[in-house]
Amino acid sequence: MTIQEVVQIVDARVLCGEDKLFREITTACGADLMSDVLAFVKDNTVLITGLTNMHVMRTAEMLDIHCVIFARGKLPQEEILQEAQKLGIVVLSTRHTTYTTCGLLYQAGIRGTEKSNPA
Amino acid sequence: MEEIALVDTYQVRPGDFRTAGEAAASIKRKLKQLGINSAVLRRISVASYEAELNLIIHSFGGSLTMEMTPVELRLYSRDIGPGIADVDKAMEEGYSTASEEARDLGFGAGMGLPNMRRNADAFRIQSKVGKGTTIEMCFALQPAAEGSR
């Protein structure tokens, strides 16, 4: 599905990357531990997290993650959004918890990145 | 003599979480410009980021060096201590001695070294308490290697 569809499913606000909502998402990963994200991500993954520091963007950059969703209505600081903008990462914020956000996407057919990386 | 096309070294300061990832990001951008296969590049990126984080979290200071030849890329992480007492234990997934500060930032899950080994085509670690740790990783640049992984 596209990021635009993700926005609708989890009822998200687009914080940056409005022009990139046409991108495809095939898998998802929900974690606050960036170490775990680094071990389990595949192509076209959306990251759902409650962590809002710069390391989320750095981790996303390393893994070519194009879309990050901050759960539970969390809003990152401006400098983090600026970095996301620079890296071309779409940043969303949803009022749902990480668990519910993952559940909604799973229900819509998005599966997890269960196999460790690289496959 | 072996042809080394590119050498780069980045100094990594202990405890400097603010700049964590800058060396790995710089390596990634450089290699991307050179047109490295994206799957290989991602493995290099993850391994270099983990190595950089380990230097920040655990070391007294160190460096990250990349060396590229026409066929492979080598990453070296070298530090000046404190050294790892039990390397086998450190290689286990989930084993970590990271600080509370590192954990608060989303790291210290005990996945760093195992993740480096998993992503590299060849991995070697040498450590001596009181001396320091050296990690050497190799990545074949040919995408042909991907299918067999």
Side-chain angles (χ1 to χ4, degrees):
Chain A
M1 69 173 68
T2 62
I3 297 176
Q4 180 64 57
E5 289 171 272
V6 171
V7 169
Q8 281 152 10
I9 291 163
V10 304
D11 192 16
R13 258 178 70 194
V14 182
L15 302 183
C16 94
E18 289 269 8
D19 56 326
K20 299 180 185 72
L21 302 183
F22 59 87
R23 283 187 180 160
E24 280 292 318
I25 291 298
T26 50
T27 56
C29 174
D32 286 349
L33 261 181
M34 292 303 109
S35 306
D36 279 346
V37 179
L38 285 167
F40 290 103
V41 159
K42 291 196 247 180
D43 267 333
N44 301 332
T45 296
V46 54
L47 169 63
I48 300 129
T49 185
L51 196 70
T52 55
N53 63 40
M54 192 60 93
H55 300 294
V56 175
M57 290 310 145
R58 203 56 78 211
T59 302
E61 180 187 8
M62 290 304 138
L63 293 164
D64 305 313
I65 290 175
H66 301 305
C67 181
V68 174
I69 305 177
F70 291 119
R72 221 155 50 76
K74 288 186 184 174
L75 296 172
Q77 287 183 338
E78 190 52 38
E79 60 164 353
I80 288 161
L81 288 179
Q82 279 169 10
E83 185 69 13
Q85 189 81 43
K86 211 170 78 190
L87 297 170
I89 297 168
V90 179
V91 181
L92 310 177
S93 177
T94 174
R95 64 190 160 82
H96 296 300
T97 60
T98 299
Y99 179 79
T100 303
T101 308
C102 294
L104 289 168
L105 289 176
Y106 192 89
Q107 203 171 34
I110 298 289
R111 293 296 178 257
T113 54
E114 317 248 331
K115 228 169 156 186
S116 38
N117 198 27
Chain B
M1 221 186 106
E2 187 185 48
E3 189 188 338
I4 294 175
L6 182 69
V7 188
D8 246 323
T9 295
Y10 302 84
Q11 298 302 321
V12 182
R13 289 195 300 270
D16 192 357
F17 288 100
R18 203 180 47 81
T19 63
E22 283 184 3
S26 173
I27 288 173
K28 176 165 190 176
R29 284 167 205 155
K30 252 176 217 174
L31 295 178
K32 199 172 181 177
Q33 279 176 358
L34 293 173
I36 306 273
N37 169 275
S38 67
V40 177
L41 180 55
R42 180 157 19 159
R43 290 198 279 111
I44 295 169
S45 302
V46 169
S48 55
Y49 189 33
E50 293 279 22
E52 184 181 359
L53 284 165
N54 265 6
L55 288 172
I56 291 168
I57 296 171
H58 300 287
S59 86
F60 294 153
S63 65
L64 207 57
T65 298
M66 73 158 164
E67 225 175 68
M68 200 172 96
T69 76
V71 292
E72 67 178 11
L73 185 126
R74 297 179 209 130
L75 270 179
Y76 300 93
S77 168
R78 301 182 177 99
D79 69 46
I80 54 167
I84 303 168
D86 188 340
V87 173
D88 288 339
K89 190 92 188 152
M91 290 304 303
E92 282 176 19
E93 290 193 2
Y95 178 79
S96 177
T97 58
S99 66
E100 203 56 45
E101 186 185 11
R103 288 168 201 260
D104 283 348
L105 292 170
F107 299 107
M111 296 296 286
L113 288 173
N115 216 2
M116 283 181 233
R117 181 169 57 185
R118 188 161 45 218
N119 279 285
D121 291 312
F123 175 92
R124 208 167 56 183
I125 180 167
Q126 278 181 310
S127 192
K128 202 165 177 182
V129 174
K131 286 269 183 201
T133 303
T134 301
I135 296 168
E136 188 183 336
M137 292 176 273
C138 286
F139 304 83
L141 294 176
Q142 304 307 320
E146 287 304 295
S148 59
R149 290 184 65 87

